[in-house]
Amino acid sequence: MKPKRITISAASQHVGETVSIPGWLYNLRKSGKIAFPLLRDGTGIMQCVAVKSALPEPVFDAIKDLTQESSVIFTGKIRADERAPGGYEMDVENVEVVQRVPEADPYPITPKEHGVDFLMDHRHLWLRSQRQHAILGVRHEVIRAVRDYFDSNGFTLVDTPIFTPAACEGTTTLFEVNYFEDEKAYLAQSGQLYNEATAAAFGKVYCFGPTFRAEKSKTRRHLTEFWMVEPEMAYAALEDVKQVAEEMIVFVVGRVLEKRRAELKLLERDVSKLEAIQAPFPRMSYDDAVKFLQSKGSEIQWGGDFGGADETLLSQEHDRPLMVDGYPSSVKAFYMQPNPERPEVAMCVDVLAPEGYGEVIGGGQRIHDYDLLLRRIGEHHLPKDAFEWYLDLRRFGTVPHGGFGMGIERCVAWLCGLEHVRETIAFPRMLYRLRP
RNA sequence: UCCUCAGUAGCUCAAUGGUAGAGCAUUCGGCUGUUAACCGAAGGGUUGUAGGUUCGAGUCCUACCUGAGGAGCCA
């Protein structure tokens, strides 16, 4: 009878059984008459034990000559053992070598140290490493939690287009696409304007997908292609937006702590920092933030946007995300609702993650008044024609509404405690990095 | 676009202007409980590119290329 195929993650349920596990050779330690191949299968890593005296000679020879990342199917009996890294190991009885990596051209990523450039050039292989595997596991959990949160709170997923005409947010940072006849198209940098349309159809909506920024930004928190989740709610004010943002973050962090302890441990993440993420989040006005920053030596003046160092200073002050509201309208997008009592500030909020991670969420209340929106489009020198459909939303049953966008990569970088967002997506796209 | 730093073996890094080196990886040998295993040996180099200074350049100078960190920019 052919042994049952299992995954390494299921090994604990098969103690005492002879099973087969298909995977790749992660590493091999050997002495003369015993070998310890480490098998990786995507669900985990298992130490196997091959004893020369217990195996036919060709089988033992095949195992001791295996090269790193060769694809193999090991067959043997599962046994609990404290000496094994995962707690269980396999006494190998047979091996099927699917492909042996030739030693003339060995697997380039060794268990030793490598530089950033080398690893990024080998990103397609680097993904097999434990650390990268753990990060992408957390990313998957974040995405699933985000969707679960919105799905179970009355939001409908209505995805928005990637190709967009003209400028939605301003013209400086868009990727141009030459394809549509007589007209240039651009890659979306936000789904928000479309969300406002679908919110008037469904009440509460969200979109989730890739967005594109053509900025010449070269920092640890920027990608040219990144994923963003954007909820939008009709009949909602700034306070409702803050409420949802806070609830969603607490939910996502809780889910990652619940499901991805092993990954966080491998990443050596201080989970006590994440366990502190509970509602309510501290809130601060832009006015107070500027005063605070000035007291810390920042050169920021009222009216300016925060620099990276400013965000870091602010977010290091608290053990949970900080919500900053009331930025000057002049530094925010044209559709931001001004505060009726202080028209120079917008009814917007940025959520700054703690530990210096900075902005993970930006959002606010949108202008719902037709005349005001029309005036703002003019002030920002935007083409009115292109926004006729958007103005329609104010002609036909306009209501106060708002929402926010959360960058998935920044969120994952924060939860994993990473230096750079480039490790939070399988194939990062950056200013100087298009391959692999 | 600007500032700073770096580029030497497949990888990570040494080398006072004077013979180009180590660890890992690879190959060979040894080892029955290894944990980035260990021990011994071997092979492996147009020092990013192009010029220049010098008796002599990996090292100093100029330009360029590539990358990293940062700034600006940033829904």
Side-chain angles (χ1 to χ4, degrees):
Chain A
M1 193 182 84
K2 228 178 153 184
K4 185 176 182 181
R5 273 203 187 185
I6 67 162
T7 60
I8 290 169
S9 58
S12 63
Q13 297 145 44
H14 297 274
V15 172
E17 292 174 42
T18 294
V19 297
S20 289
I21 305 181
W24 296 262
L25 189 80
Y26 193 73
N27 198 2
L28 176 65
R29 291 183 280 268
K30 64 188 171 188
S31 56
K33 289 165 184 157
I34 187 168
F36 299 94
L38 287 179
L39 183 66
R40 173 185 75 74
D41 80 337
T43 73
I45 291 180
M46 171 174 272
Q47 172 161 293
C48 303
V49 186
V51 178
K52 183 171 187 177
S53 59
L55 289 170
E57 203 171 318
V59 173
F60 185 77
D61 287 349
I63 291 170
K64 83 171 170 50
D65 286 337
L66 280 176
T67 45
Q68 197 188 353
E69 286 300 323
S70 288
S71 38
V72 288
I73 303 170
F74 278 120
T75 300
K77 194 175 281 183
I78 303 296
R79 176 167 49 72
D81 195 310
E82 285 180 2
R83 292 168 295 186
Y88 296 89
E89 60 184 23
M90 171 191 274
D91 287 319
V92 178
E93 294 163 17
N94 202 357
V95 62
E96 179 187 336
V97 180
V98 179
Q99 187 243 341
R100 184 171 174 281
V101 175
E103 47 273 282
D105 187 16
Y107 186 71
I109 301 177
T110 68
K112 288 280 181 175
E113 289 168 22
H114 299 282
V116 171
D117 188 35
F118 177 81
L119 289 170
M120 291 303 293
D121 282 343
H122 294 84
R123 182 64 176 167
H124 51 296
L125 302 176
W126 190 21
L127 298 173
R128 304 180 187 190
S129 303
Q130 289 190 83
R131 194 181 152 77
Q132 300 308 311
H133 188 269
I135 293 167
L136 292 178
V138 171
R139 178 192 173 99
H140 170 70
E141 203 62 54
V142 166
I143 291 171
R144 203 161 66 153
V146 161
R147 301 190 89 117
D148 282 351
Y149 173 80
F150 289 118
D151 293 349
S152 55
N153 280 281
F155 287 77
T156 300
L157 174 73
V158 186
D159 279 319
T160 52
I162 302 295
F163 289 131
T164 57
C168 279
E169 307 271 340
T171 51
T172 55
T173 62
L174 294 164
F175 282 100
E176 212 173 279
V177 180
N178 289 306
Y179 170 75
F180 298 91
E181 297 218 356
D182 303 328
E183 190 174 12
K184 286 196 169 68
Y186 304 89
L187 299 183
Q189 57 178 359
S190 164
Q192 187 215 303
L193 302 190
Y194 298 95
N195 270 346
E196 293 180 49
T198 61
F202 288 86
K204 294 200 281 188
V205 297
Y206 70 104
C207 66
F208 179 65
T211 47
F212 307 87
R213 295 286 206 71
E215 275 126 23
K216 301 289 185 194
S217 299
K218 188 172 152 10
T219 81
R220 63 187 65 200
R221 45 174 76 147
H222 284 91
L223 297 169
T224 53
E225 178 183 321
F226 66 99
W227 286 64
M228 188 155 66
V229 60
E230 295 174 277
E232 189 74 24
M233 299 173 283
Y235 287 107
L238 178 59
E239 197 49 42
D240 303 304
V241 172
K242 288 184 191 171
Q243 197 77 36
V244 170
E246 182 178 271
E247 255 184 54
M248 184 203 68
I249 287 179
V250 169
F251 182 86
V252 169
V253 173
R255 176 70 76 77
V256 169
L257 282 169
E258 179 194 340
K259 302 267 194 187
R260 298 290 168 167
R261 286 271 168 179
E263 283 83 352
L264 294 174
K265 188 178 176 200
L266 194 142
L267 295 166
E268 296 176 314
R269 182 65 166 116
D270 181 354
V271 291
S272 71
K273 293 269 201 288
L274 299 180
E275 283 160 349
I277 308 305
Q278 300 291 338
F281 295 168
R283 295 162 190 228
M284 185 185 270
S285 69
Y286 170 87
D287 299 341
D288 290 341
V290 169
K291 281 181 202 151
F292 168 81
L293 289 169
Q294 285 171 341
S295 78
K296 290 279 176 181
S298 169
E299 291 179 2
I300 187 164
Q301 298 295 317
W302 197 99
D305 209 348
F306 300 140
D310 295 326
E311 277 189 13
T312 302
L313 272 173
L314 282 169
S315 67
Q316 277 172 343
E317 277 297 298
H318 304 87
D319 65 347
R320 53 192 80 186
L322 172 67
M323 295 180 143
V324 182
D325 64 17
Y327 286 71
S329 299
S330 54
V331 301
K332 288 292 173 183
F334 72 94
Y335 50 71
M336 284 291 187
Q337 174 72 37
N339 186 328
E341 291 158 21
R342 286 179 67 196
E344 72 277 15
V345 301
M347 298 189 67
C348 64
V349 61
D350 278 5
V351 181
L352 309 182
E355 300 173 74
Y357 278 93
E359 182 184 351
V360 289
I361 282 180
Q365 194 175 326
R366 329 299 187 188
I367 293 172
H368 60 278
D369 180 73
Y370 177 89
D371 294 327
L372 178 56
L373 183 61
L374 185 60
R375 195 158 75 236
R376 280 293 154 84
I377 287 173
E379 285 166 6
H380 283 78
H381 308 292
L382 297 169
K384 183 183 174 234
D385 288 356
F387 289 94
E388 280 301 331
W389 71 268
Y390 189 60
L391 286 162
D392 265 357
L393 305 176
R394 277 74 181 171
R395 289 186 186 104
F396 305 111
T398 188
V399 297
H401 63 288
F404 63 84
M406 180 175 79
I408 293 296
E409 286 77 13
R410 287 184 181 180
C411 181
V412 174
W414 163 44
L415 297 186
C416 290
L418 304 181
E419 278 290 301
H420 201 298
V421 291
R422 66 186 158 216
E423 290 179 62
T424 63
I425 185 167
F427 295 99
R429 293 293 176 252
M430 294 175 289
L431 185 50
Y432 297 116
R433 175 90 41 195
L434 180 61
R435 299 187 174 80

